[in-house]
């Protein structure tokens, strides 16, 4: 998994960053058995642009097919950075991954809640879990359902801790959402 954020953190100078990126791409191409998976292509493009790096020009030789690349993007990032720039669109084939069914998302949330309960010594009622999921769907639209629920779960843990509670009910979730 190619994580551009680590690359940007390690190299502050534009030329050093460009050279390292080219070096990594050349090494991966020469190896012949590496597929780059870019975790957040829109974020990668934006960060490169903020450092005055034309990422598309820099990677053009590798995007042409010498280095297999899989790039991930959320819907908003795809529309904002990739779809808006035809030069990026012609390098990749769009594969839309549908949202998971609600029943699967709730099961995943329950599993996540179990880990949080164990780690934080808290207890969520089942109605609280359902309300958390429904609130994420209703009030937050920028991310995937899974990300929205995870963000809310992390935030509500802090919120209930400040209120010195260990039992989270549906009313607690509604109170948290109202205050948020």
């Amino acid at each position: 998994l190619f994580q551009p954020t680590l690359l940007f953190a390690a190299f502050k100078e534009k030329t050093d960053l460009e050279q390292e990126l080219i070096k990594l791409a050349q090494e991966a191409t020469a190896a012949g058995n590496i597929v780059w998976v870019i975790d957040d292509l829109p974020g990668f493009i934006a960060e490169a642009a903020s450092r005055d790096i034309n990422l598309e020009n820099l990677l053009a030789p590798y995007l042409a097919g010498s280095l297999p690349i899989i790039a991930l993007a959320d819907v908003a990032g795809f529309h904002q950075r990739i779809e808006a720039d035809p030069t990026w669109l012609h390098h990749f084939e769009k594969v839309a991954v549908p949202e998971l069914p609600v029943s699967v998302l709730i099961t995943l949330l329950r599993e996540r809640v179990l880990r949080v309960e164990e780690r934080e010594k808290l207890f969520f009622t089942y109605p609280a879990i359902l309300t958390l999921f429904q609130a994420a769907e209703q009030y937050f639209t920028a991310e995937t359902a899974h990300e929205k629920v995870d963000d809310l779960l992390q935030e509500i843990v802090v919120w209930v801790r400040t209120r010195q509670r260990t039992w989270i009910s549906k009313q607690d979730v509604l109170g948290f959402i109202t205050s948020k």
Side-chain angles (χ1 to χ4, degrees):
L1 180 63
F2 180 72
Q3 296 179 318
T5 53
L6 298 175
L7 189 65
F8 287 120
F11 295 91
K12 301 296 181 197
E13 297 297 320
K14 175 186 173 182
T15 54
D16 294 339
L17 181 60
E18 288 174 331
Q19 288 173 355
E20 185 66 18
L21 193 55
I22 290 169
K23 178 182 149 204
L24 289 171
Q26 288 172 342
E27 288 175 1
T29 301
N33 63 349
I34 294 177
V35 176
W36 265 9
V37 178
I38 301 173
D39 186 35
D40 175 18
L41 182 59
F44 190 21
I45 294 168
E47 183 63 28
S50 76
R51 294 177 185 227
D52 198 32
I53 296 172
N54 185 327
L55 194 59
E56 197 273 332
N57 284 346
L58 191 68
L59 295 179
Y62 310 101
L63 292 169
S66 63
L67 175 61
I69 299 175
I70 297 171
L72 307 176
D74 63 7
V75 174
F78 177 80
H79 290 309
Q80 182 183 19
R81 294 276 177 200
I82 299 168
E83 194 174 57
D85 184 349
T87 57
W88 281 108
L89 272 179
H90 86 273
H91 290 297
F92 294 97
E93 180 179 335
K94 178 182 171 184
V95 177
V97 178
E99 278 286 339
L100 295 171
V102 171
S103 60
V104 173
L105 289 170
I106 290 175
T107 300
L108 292 172
L109 175 59
R110 287 176 48 208
E111 291 171 4
R112 175 88 166 103
V113 165
L114 286 173
R115 288 191 298 275
V116 169
E117 286 177 336
E118 195 173 301
R119 183 182 68 239
E120 300 292 335
K121 306 300 183 229
L122 296 171
F123 179 76
F124 285 78
T125 64
Y126 188 72
I129 295 169
L130 290 178
T131 303
L132 192 64
F133 178 80
Q134 292 162 346
E137 286 294 293
Q138 182 175 359
Y139 297 113
F140 305 96
T141 59
E143 305 165 330
T144 66
H146 187 68
E147 292 169 327
K148 291 185 283 192
V149 170
D150 267 354
D151 289 347
L152 277 180
L153 181 58
Q154 292 171 18
E155 290 178 35
I156 199 168
V157 166
V158 173
W159 189 81
V160 297
R161 281 284 180 224
T162 63
R163 284 155 181 75
Q164 299 177 340
R165 295 186 188 159
T166 56
W167 184 277
I168 297 99
S169 68
K170 176 181 179 176
Q171 287 69 35
D172 293 323
V173 173
L174 291 172
F176 165 71
I177 295 299
T178 300
S179 71
K180 187 165 174 55

